[in-house]
Amino acid sequence: MDEVLLRSLTPGVLTVLVRRGADFAAAEDAVQDALVEALRVWPADPPRDAKGWLVTVAWRKFLDATRADAARRRREDRVEEEPAPGPAPAVDDTLQLYFLCAHPSLTPASAVALTLRAVGGLTTRQIAQAYLVPEATMAQRISRAKRTVSGVRLDRPGDVATVLRVLYLVFNEGYSGDVDLAAEAIRLTRQLAAAVDHPEAAGLLALMLLHHARRAARTAPDGSLVPLAEQDRGRWDTRLIAEGVAILQAALARDRLGEFQAQAAIAALHADAPTAEETDWVQIVEWYDELTRLTDSPVVRLNRAVAVGEADGPRAGLAALAALDASLPRHTAVAAYLHERDGDLATAARLYAEAAHKAPNLAERDHLMRQAARLNAR
């Protein structure tokens, strides 16, 4: 075990926890607990990303300590109270916090941003990227939300739709970002879907399960990204796929379509294809049309352009892409892919290299650079 490496990583891990909202003393305790865990685990199972591992474990240690302390204080407050009749309520404090942060006095966008920052553990930069706005803009939005709720009692929970939006964004960051939050998002969404009669709660759970089922196949042994078309489908978790499809079918049968159900339907079509070549792209485009109608999201339109390129040919995809703002995240990467499909390798190589410089994380940047190098080598 390289204790020098651990000491060198400690300040950076501590900084991450403090930026997420942990007070300094609690953050120090959590980091020390993570270091002890590293000394126990790493000799037999060293991580690929040492700092990422420490951040994840330290944050979980901090959350566990915070919840334990809150539970202790509640027990002390109730020690002389008569217990309520009936079974004790099975309440998850984290999910309750999500609802309380989604306060009715806030706009949905502000409630989501505040919850992601205060409870979800995302940085302001990560939240800004999810909303396609500058980091400074998001920082101001979060500050305004904090000021708004500073003078009100957090005793009126927000609506289910806002909490679903928060869980969706937390899962997305866990699925593709630097810190693993996906499992926690799935856990909370399972609880929410069981507690409320809301088809979109079921749709979101189905979507998460279908995406999470592919997780083991998304990276190669060296940590590099593996595109969907190249993934080993034998590594997909068929149990999660079957569960996700069953939940989705039950939600769709209620005929109350929402965006999470539509996204889950697209994921189910990918999961249903034995090979990439057998993917039903025509039906996927139809679902993207439904999703566009429901959300009018530029990111949805970008993904639709890829699907059109697969269903109707790369030039049709490029035509759909031309109608979109070129500053959209991953717009350049999609253009590179469609130009490669169209046989324009020189343009594709240039665009892959350009997209790499705009990539939101290291793994995606390395993947795009390899794509550019592959085409340039031809």
Side-chain angles (χ1 to χ4, degrees), residues 7-355:
R7 285 197 297 272
S8 70
L9 293 173
T10 298
V13 177
L14 184 60
T15 299
V16 172
L17 266 64
V18 171
R19 286 177 177 172
R20 288 186 181 178
D23 67 83
F24 192 84
E28 279 189 315
D29 291 341
V31 172
Q32 290 302 315
D33 289 342
L35 294 178
V36 171
E37 187 72 0
L39 289 169
R40 184 182 70 83
V41 172
W42 285 12
D45 185 20
R48 289 197 299 266
D49 179 3
K51 182 179 178 181
W53 190 97
L54 286 171
V55 167
T56 300
V57 173
W59 184 245
R60 288 173 180 166
K61 296 286 186 183
F62 167 74
L63 291 179
D64 289 343
T66 300
R67 291 168 187 160
D69 186 61
R72 177 187 57 78
R73 288 197 301 270
R74 285 196 300 273
R75 288 194 300 270
E76 291 172 351
D77 291 341
R78 296 172 183 171
V79 67
E80 296 185 5
E81 294 180 2
E82 184 71 21
V91 176
D92 184 276
D93 289 343
T94 306
L95 192 58
Q96 185 179 23
L97 283 174
Y98 274 65
F99 272 99
L100 291 176
C101 285
H103 197 271
S105 64
L106 297 172
T107 65
S110 295
V112 170
L114 177 62
T115 312
L116 289 172
R117 185 70 186 90
V119 187
L122 273 64
T123 66
T124 303
R125 176 183 59 82
Q126 290 169 326
I127 302 169
Q129 288 175 345
Y131 272 89
L132 310 180
V133 299
E135 184 174 350
T137 300
M138 184 52 67
Q140 292 174 354
R141 183 180 299 176
I142 294 172
S143 295
R144 285 196 300 269
K146 289 179 179 178
R147 287 196 299 270
T148 299
V149 299
S150 63
V152 300
R153 289 177 57 84
L154 293 179
D155 55 359
R156 291 188 297 153
D159 67 347
V160 174
T162 301
V163 175
L164 288 172
R165 174 64 52 188
V166 174
L167 289 169
Y168 171 70
L169 292 173
V170 170
F171 177 81
N172 279 348
E173 188 60 39
Y175 187 66
S176 61
D178 300 324
V179 181
D180 189 351
L181 299 167
E184 174 70 356
I186 291 174
R187 182 183 74 84
L188 293 174
T189 306
R190 281 189 186 280
Q191 292 185 356
L192 183 59
V196 301
D197 181 24
H198 196 299
E200 277 290 80
L204 179 58
L205 178 57
L207 175 63
M208 290 180 175
L209 294 174
L210 289 164
H211 277 302
H212 209 61
R214 302 200 301 257
R215 186 151 196 182
R218 291 183 68 245
T219 55
D222 64 358
S224 60
L225 290 180
V226 180
L228 177 61
E230 300 171 19
Q231 289 177 13
D232 177 2
R233 299 184 178 220
R235 299 186 65 197
W236 290 0
D237 189 328
T238 55
R239 179 187 60 83
L240 286 182
I241 290 173
E243 182 185 4
V245 169
I247 292 171
L248 173 63
Q249 288 175 337
L252 291 175
R254 302 179 66 178
D255 197 24
R256 291 167 58 190
L257 183 64
E259 62 173 296
F260 296 132
Q261 295 172 68
Q263 288 190 56
I266 293 169
L269 286 168
H270 283 297
D272 187 55
T275 65
E277 293 73 23
E278 296 174 84
T279 303
D280 188 347
W281 285 107
V282 172
Q283 193 172 350
I284 287 176
V285 171
E286 292 174 355
W287 274 110
Y288 270 121
D289 289 339
E290 286 286 347
L291 196 52
T292 300
R293 180 182 61 80
L294 289 166
T295 67
D296 197 28
S297 161
V299 175
V300 169
R301 292 182 181 275
L302 183 68
N303 292 332
R304 180 185 178 278
V306 177
V308 169
E310 299 290 352
D312 301 328
R315 294 193 178 182
L318 286 168
L321 188 66
L324 304 178
D325 186 347
S327 66
L328 274 173
R330 298 187 173 89
H331 183 285
T332 308
V334 170
Y337 173 75
L338 291 172
H339 276 290
E340 181 184 357
R341 287 281 317 281
D342 197 37
D344 188 351
L345 303 188
T347 299
R350 175 179 58 79
L351 290 172
Y352 275 129
E354 183 181 332

